[in-house]
Amino acid sequence: MGNREDLLSGAKRCLYEKGYGRTTARDIASASGVSLAAIGYHFGSKEALLNQALVEAIGEWGGALATAVEAAEAGADGPQEVFAAVWDEVLKSFAEHRGLWAAQFEAIAQVSHAPELREQLGAAQKRGRLGLSALFQGLPTVPDTEDELARGIFYQALLAGLAAQWMASPEQAPSGRDFLRGLQLVSGSVLNPPQPTP
């Protein structure tokens, strides 16, 4: 690896261990074994490096999640069981990647003061939505259509909400079965509302 790759690797490690807001340039230089000056040379600023490291780390988590989802789908029988099993795997991934999720929430809180970060996260959002749509349907990719984006928006909202609940209180976070029951209740009342009696 070269200095650029070492810096990205060190920045990712710092995101996991120290978070987005508490990571200093010196922390990254120390974690990567590269000089402080190299950060400016390769990325222009510590923030630009952290932003790129965060987007890459989220992508790596997505790859790990895809593997977990495939395992859940292989071990479950029927779409409802698969749905519940997949969300249980998502919960397990939070435990393994807690530092990354904490860093993401920290970064999101900074976007109003960091236009560069807002731009990078915004650019990654559409890709993420399409990726989630494909992932939860068990497909390698999906077309960039309004339907697939809508499906991805739904999954992204579930994912972010579950992550927030898990970060606040892991023992009270809903299970895959809880998610399935909620989906059944909400879809029943929204898609098949009771008809008024004449």
Side-chain angles (χ1 to χ4, degrees):
M1 280 198 305
N3 283 353
R4 182 180 175 82
E5 293 77 18
D6 289 339
L7 285 166
L8 278 167
S9 178
K12 288 175 200 173
R13 206 163 37 255
C14 288
L15 285 170
Y16 270 86
E17 294 169 6
K18 297 184 75 88
Y20 186 87
R22 291 185 314 276
T23 294
T24 66
R26 194 170 302 283
D27 292 331
I28 297 170
S30 176
S32 61
V34 177
S35 72
L36 275 171
I39 294 172
Y41 177 78
H42 289 287
F43 294 93
S45 68
K46 173 199 83 165
E47 289 75 21
L49 168 55
L50 272 180
N51 296 348
Q52 185 170 341
L54 180 62
V55 169
E56 286 190 16
I58 293 168
E60 291 166 4
W61 170 81
L65 181 61
T67 301
V69 166
E70 286 173 16
E73 289 171 342
D77 193 25
Q80 293 184 8
E81 291 298 316
V82 168
F83 184 89
V86 163
W87 285 102
D88 284 337
E89 290 301 320
V90 170
L91 280 169
K92 288 179 195 172
S93 83
F94 293 159
E96 290 176 43
H97 301 273
R98 186 185 204 322
L100 175 61
W101 279 95
Q104 284 184 77
F105 282 115
E106 281 182 71
I108 289 167
Q110 300 291 323
V111 296
S112 61
H113 309 292
E116 205 174 271
L117 175 60
R118 179 197 307 264
E119 187 178 311
Q120 283 184 288
L121 291 177
Q125 198 164 53
K126 183 176 183 182
R127 288 191 313 271
R129 288 172 174 171
L130 291 172
L132 288 170
S133 181
L135 178 68
F136 285 102
Q137 293 180 77
L139 301 171
T141 60
V142 293
D144 183 352
T145 64
E146 286 185 26
D147 284 353
E148 294 304 342
L149 282 172
R151 194 186 321 261
I153 287 167
F154 175 77
Y155 283 125
Q156 190 177 53
L158 287 179
L159 182 63
L162 180 59
Q165 291 180 61
W166 186 88
M167 291 292 292
S169 180
E171 64 281 353
Q172 292 186 51
S175 68
R177 289 228 167 268
D178 294 331
F179 257 32
L180 176 61
R181 182 68 181 136
L183 178 65
Q184 290 167 331
L185 292 169
V186 170
S187 63
S189 63
V190 171
L191 300 178
N192 301 305
Q195 299 300 314
T197 54

